[in-house]
Amino acid sequence: MVIVETVLALRKIVGRARIENKKVALVATMGNLHEGHIALIDVAKQHADFVVATIFVNPIQFGPSEDLEKYPRTPDADQAKLKEAGCDLLFLPDVAEMYPEGFEAQPIVSVPRVSEGLCGAARPGHFNGMATIVNKMFNVVQPDIAVFGEKDYQQLAVIRSMVRNLNIPIEIFGAPTVRAPDGLALSSRNGYLNDQERAAAPILYQCLKDVALSLQRGSLDVEQLLDEQCKRITSSGFQLEYLEIRNAHDLSLTSETSGNLVILVAARLGKTRLIDNVVVSAGEL
Ligand code: PAF
């Protein structure tokens, strides 16, 4: 695996791969890699011949009171994992490489509708910052395909909408959420949890599964369903941000209790913000 820190060096190497007619995949990350990220590399390898991973903790997608400074940085372990997974090229830019004229000079990509509500309401500016860096990485690497995790469901929906509406010629793949044996969705932020919080954390997924099962069985009383699970989440020590059922395709609000729906949750446990989701085909049982 080759490691480069500049756009120029990256373009030379990706250019060579393209001359060899290789299909190029991008896996963009913020590092502190776990099995969920490695699953993205696996999907990329299934669909492309040359896999580029990026590690960049993007300042403009963090709010002023968020964890930018303490976001876990584990470069040596990350490089070993990517090499082992068969990644071809790692792009490790610093902030000056990605924002050479400073944040104030940076054009911002804003994706309407799908980035509103849910995490967009709780983290103002987050999706603008995320869409902007993903767009920049697309322009730097110019991949044929890019792979993102379904754990960040709204992020994936924002990226898909950006690609469609800005006519970006890149095929987007979603990769299923990887979970710990007790159901907790893998996330770099899980490392912030203390033992007691870690023991309580899988309750979020259990609640999502319970809502999903009721919807599959054709439950129509959505309000009561969500109300019960909200109480369960808060009485387990979480501060609930949202628990919502949305249209799985475009995240629009829906009162439908049939078709493809997604149940999404965000909650804080101590200082750690956790998100998760489950997609369900309602009324199928
Ligand atoms: O999901 C992430 O790790 C980040 O939001 C991404 C897509 C790498 C952009 O910084």
Side-chain angles (χ1 to χ4, degrees):
M1 182 177 76
V2 180
I3 302 175
V4 293
E5 295 179 0
T6 65
V7 173
L8 201 67
L10 176 128
R11 285 212 166 118
K12 271 193 195 143
I13 297 175
V14 176
R16 246 179 269 145
R18 220 169 267 117
I19 288 169
E20 290 166 17
N21 264 330
K22 288 184 174 162
K23 191 167 174 183
V24 178
L26 168 68
V27 176
T29 81
M30 299 206 299
N32 191 236
L33 304 181
H34 49 67
E35 282 169 56
H37 296 106
I38 302 309
L40 305 182
I41 302 283
D42 292 342
V43 172
K45 283 175 71 74
Q46 280 162 25
H47 296 277
D49 316 299
F50 190 84
V51 177
V52 182
T54 65
I55 297 181
F56 180 64
V57 182
N58 173 37
I60 70 164
Q61 71 185 73
F62 288 78
S65 58
E66 292 186 354
D67 55 348
L68 172 63
E69 297 309 327
K70 71 168 189 159
Y71 196 83
R73 288 157 171 94
T74 49
D76 295 341
D78 291 350
Q79 286 169 30
K81 286 177 190 169
L82 288 172
K83 203 170 156 192
E84 158 99 29
C87 172
D88 297 287
L89 176 62
L90 170 59
F91 181 44
L92 266 182
D94 63 12
V95 172
E97 186 67 16
M98 292 315 293
Y99 297 102
E101 297 180 29
F103 301 131
E104 291 72 25
Q106 179 59 52
I108 296 296
V109 180
S110 173
V111 183
R113 291 220 286 248
V114 69
S115 62
E116 290 152 21
L118 303 168
C119 291
R123 304 184 68 190
H126 166 69
F127 285 123
N128 284 1
M130 183 282 296
T132 301
I133 194 67
V134 169
N135 199 283
K136 285 168 75 76
M137 290 300 186
F138 284 172
N139 289 331
V140 168
V141 178
Q142 295 184 273
D144 300 286
I145 73 161
V147 188
F148 297 90
E150 285 169 0
K151 193 210 138 222
D152 296 296
Y153 197 91
Q154 191 177 14
Q155 168 170 284
L156 179 58
V158 170
I159 293 168
R160 285 190 195 282
S161 175
M162 173 177 82
V163 163
R164 280 196 312 275
N165 290 292
L166 287 176
N167 305 85
I168 299 174
I170 297 174
E171 192 179 356
I172 304 300
F173 287 82
T177 302
V178 179
R179 297 181 182 280
D182 61 9
L184 177 65
L186 297 193
S187 161
S188 301
R189 290 191 167 99
N190 292 352
Y192 299 151
L193 299 168
N194 65 29
D195 289 349
Q196 199 189 341
E197 291 163 349
R198 176 63 190 79
I203 290 166
L204 284 187
Y205 181 52
Q206 288 160 18
C207 292
L208 291 174
K209 279 198 305 185
D210 285 355
V211 177
L213 190 62
S214 301
L215 289 171
Q216 279 171 315
R217 287 185 177 143
S219 170
L220 297 176
D221 196 347
V222 170
E223 213 168 301
Q224 197 206 329
L225 203 61
L226 292 178
D227 205 44
E228 273 169 22
Q229 299 302 333
C230 288
K231 285 194 186 117
R232 186 170 159 204
I233 292 169
T234 44
S235 65
S236 307
F238 292 83
Q239 275 174 278
L240 183 63
E241 231 170 58
Y242 62 78
L243 173 67
E244 288 195 41
I245 300 171
R246 298 273 183 126
N247 177 307
H249 173 64
D250 59 7
L251 286 182
S252 58
L253 288 163
T254 177
S255 53
E256 292 287 318
T257 44
S258 61
N260 278 343
L261 303 174
V262 56
I263 312 146
L264 306 110
V265 68
R268 270 171 210 283
L269 204 45
K271 290 198 163 85
T272 312
R273 185 174 184 274
L274 299 173
I275 59 170
D276 202 352
N277 68 82
V278 165
V279 176
V280 62
S281 197
E284 72 174 0
L285 289 185

